Amino acid sequence: MSLINDFIKFNLNETTRKSIAEYLWIGGAGMDLRSKARTLPEPVTDPAKLPLWNFDGSSTDQAPGDDSEVILRPQAIFRDPFRGGSNILVMCDTYTPAGDPIPTNKRFSADKIFNHPDVAAEEPWFGIEQEYTLLQKDTKWPLGWPVGGFPGPQGPYYCGVGADKSFGRDIVDAHYKACLYAGINISGINGEVMPAQWEFQVGPATGISAGDQLWVARYILERITEIAGVVLSFDPKPIPGDWNGAGAHTNYSTKPMRNDGGIDVIRKAIEKLGLRHEQHIAAYGEGYFEDRRPASNMDPYVVTSMIAETTILWKP
């Protein structure tokens, strides 16, 4: 194993101009992140200079078997915390060979909203509080919980410290540092109310970058839990009963809200959101009795763009 790690830690910059780009995209299930890597002749920092790529969409529920090619279009670049050096992670969205966005490409519509001149002028900021649960690989039961049993009642675990209160902190800290290395504006982490449940926060992030950053942060967390042999769950209610669910509270402001007199702008935005309550709740992810929507499995492209469109563009 140590020899494998030696190869993984190779610094390619010492021997070649070539670098590795890991192309990421969202699969057909909506929460299944996919990725594959390609060699670049030299380092790239501008997504517009990266080549398009493709994949077999019939294997990801994104295309039929008789017409399975799906095109990956690079949209955002992040430093690769796993390979280091000039290697990169590339957030992509998905298109038909003719250039049309496929139905699961939620980024396309979101980008149109955020590029609208009226929206761009208001500089919408988002801060997303992503909760998640760490599960034991073989049992799919929360990390640190007795197999088939339960820990003590909720209370001591929220922001708790100690081997009997905090489960998976090494994974959480590794993810925190990896996101900072990647260039994600991760602003903090904390243990949550249910043991083995954690939260990280991304933001402030402007416009479409909030979705890009959250999806790449999710990808990095998936990779780190893969290395650790732990299962990552974004299920909004992973354990039934009197155990807290998981959400993705989404904080929002515009430039007028942040300026003097912004409270009046905030009140008007709240009124507009209230008039579209049902549409927003339907787009905020799965719900349940103890509702924490936006849910932990929400699509940030959908949620952030819907908030911006309703509060800035929509005329009741």
Side-chain angles (χ1 to χ4, degrees), residues 100-146:
D100 299 317
I102 66 173
T104 56
N105 182 352
K106 307 302 182 185
R107 190 188 190 280
F108 179 81
S109 297
D111 199 37
K112 287 177 66 175
I113 291 171
F114 286 121
N115 278 318
H116 189 288
D118 293 348
V119 176
E122 296 216 5
E123 299 176 15
W125 287 2
F126 297 92
I128 302 174
E129 305 170 27
Q130 176 70 71
E131 295 178 342
Y132 60 93
T133 308
L134 299 175
L135 306 176
Q136 300 170 51
K137 182 179 178 181
D138 295 331
T139 62
K140 303 299 189 294
W141 200 237
L143 197 66
W145 290 33

Side-chain angles (χ1 to χ4, degrees), residues 236-256:
K237 190 68 174 175
I239 305 297
D242 191 22
W243 300 99
N244 270 34
H249 296 150
T250 302
N251 303 279
Y252 169 68
S253 71
T254 61
K255 189 173 182 179

Side-chain angles (χ1 to χ4, degrees), residues 80-217:
D80 186 339
F82 303 101
R83 295 188 175 105
S86 58
N87 304 301
I88 54 176
L89 303 177
V90 184
M91 191 66 211
C92 303
D93 58 355
T94 45
Y95 297 81
T96 68
D100 299 317
I102 66 173
T104 56
N105 182 352
K106 307 302 182 185
R107 190 188 190 280
F108 179 81
S109 297
D111 199 37
K112 287 177 66 175
I113 291 171
F114 286 121
N115 278 318
H116 189 288
D118 293 348
V119 176
E122 296 216 5
E123 299 176 15
W125 287 2
F126 297 92
I128 302 174
E129 305 170 27
Q130 176 70 71
E131 295 178 342
Y132 60 93
T133 308
L134 299 175
L135 306 176
Q136 300 170 51
K137 182 179 178 181
D138 295 331
T139 62
K140 303 299 189 294
W141 200 237
L143 197 66
W145 290 33
V147 177
F150 297 89
Q154 295 181 151
Y157 309 109
Y158 174 71
C159 298
V161 178
D164 59 342
K165 305 177 192 69
S166 176
F167 309 120
R169 189 185 297 276
D170 53 346
I171 292 171
V172 174
D173 280 346
H175 174 249
Y176 195 172
K177 291 181 179 179
C179 284
L180 288 171
Y181 178 92
I184 294 167
N185 193 26
I186 184 171
S187 48
I189 57 97
N190 61 268
E192 271 301 333
V193 176
M194 188 182 83
Q197 183 189 73
W198 293 84
E199 174 184 300
F200 66 89
Q201 302 93 34
V202 168
T206 304
I208 196 70
S209 70
D212 290 338
Q213 291 189 48
L214 188 70
W215 275 115
V216 175

